[in-house]
Amino acid sequence: MDAVLHLAESLLGSPWFFVLVLGLSLLDAVVPVVPAETVVITAGAFAAAQGYPAVVPLVLAAWAGALAGDVIAHHLGRRAGGLARLLRRLRIGDAVLRWAETGLRERGPAIIIGARFIPGGRTATTVTSGMIGYPRRRFVLWAAVAALAWAVYSVGIGMLGGLAFHDQPLLGVALGIGIALAVAGGIEAVRRLRSRHAGRSGTEGADGGVSRPRPAASDDAPAPARDGRGSPDSARRPRDPSAAGAA
């Protein structure tokens, strides 16, 4: 991570910096340990404090890389079942996958956008969207919205820190990263509280998924007996005594 940050700092005034941002944002969507958000926030702080890099190309590079990475992760979810099995073996990975799957089926757009701001949740959501066959066009549409929101947000909080500490951009970077962590933590806390509330109210099953409607009870009783004319239960009906006497 330190090597990546040093490289980013050395390229801040170069057009190659935007290529680096695009590549890191792409990789970060597939491999969450890549510090793309930190680099984008740092760039935003320096853009506000020193006037470079240019803000619009920075936002576009972060957006394009994030969108491309999300589409790749979605495609991997459609093709790589082994990755899903590996994640489900991990307790945390399995919990995140279950949350993402349930959310996508119920409220896909909100989950795709919200997960963009949760560390690890983004990758789990995009991969799961491919695993469950979420419509590709719809996914790309909302992933584009989510990536743009993330790019503007990351550059924006970096610039906010840079403006707050104009003479010390590194302090602005620290402030921006702190805000990002606080926002991500707040989103995750709200999600956990809503999950607990849903579990207590009975909207979720014991496995954390949405409770499914009970199947209709099957009738185990034997079929009613029929006489030669097809009338049910005729064998059980008592005969009319007068009719019996007339016979």
Side-chain angles (χ1 to χ4, degrees), residues 40-191:
V40 175
I41 291 173
T42 300
F46 276 89
Q50 299 183 0
Y52 63 87
V55 174
V56 173
L58 176 61
V59 171
L60 291 177
W63 171 74
L67 176 58
D70 286 347
V71 172
I72 291 174
H74 176 82
H75 183 73
L76 288 176
R78 288 178 175 268
R79 299 292 182 182
L83 177 61
R85 289 192 294 270
L86 177 62
L87 288 173
R88 290 195 184 278
R89 291 176 185 174
L90 305 175
R91 183 175 181 181
I92 296 179
D94 182 62
V96 173
L97 278 176
R98 287 177 180 272
W99 165 75
E101 184 174 3
T102 300
L104 281 169
R105 293 190 185 279
E106 291 185 347
R107 51 191 190 281
I111 290 296
I112 292 172
I113 295 174
R116 245 281 152 199
F117 299 88
I118 301 176
R122 173 184 64 250
T123 303
T125 300
T126 52
V127 171
T128 303
S129 69
M131 289 167 47
I132 67 174
Y134 192 81
R136 184 179 279 111
R137 290 184 180 180
R138 191 182 306 171
F139 173 81
V140 173
L141 170 64
W142 293 112
V145 174
L148 181 60
W150 172 81
V152 172
Y153 158 79
S154 299
V155 174
I157 61 175
M159 294 184 68
L160 180 64
L163 291 173
F165 298 95
H166 193 273
D167 297 329
Q168 296 177 303
L170 292 180
L171 289 179
V173 172
L175 176 62
I177 293 174
I179 294 174
L181 292 175
V183 170
I187 293 174
E188 178 64 12
V190 170
R191 183 190 71 80

Side-chain angles (χ1 to χ4, degrees), residues 33 66 75 117 140 186 207 227 229 235:
V33 296
H75 183 73
F117 299 88
V140 173
D207 60 350
D227 59 14
R229 294 171 297 176

Side-chain angles (χ1 to χ4, degrees), residues 185-238:
I187 293 174
E188 178 64 12
V190 170
R191 183 190 71 80
R192 289 181 178 272
L193 288 174
R194 291 184 63 180
S195 297
R196 290 178 183 175
H197 177 73
R200 290 173 183 173
S201 62
T203 58
E204 291 190 0
D207 60 350
V210 177
S211 58
R212 297 173 175 80
R214 295 180 179 178
S218 59
D219 188 0
D220 295 330
R226 296 177 178 270
D227 59 14
R229 294 171 297 176
S231 301
D233 299 332
S234 59
R236 299 180 188 175
R237 294 175 183 170

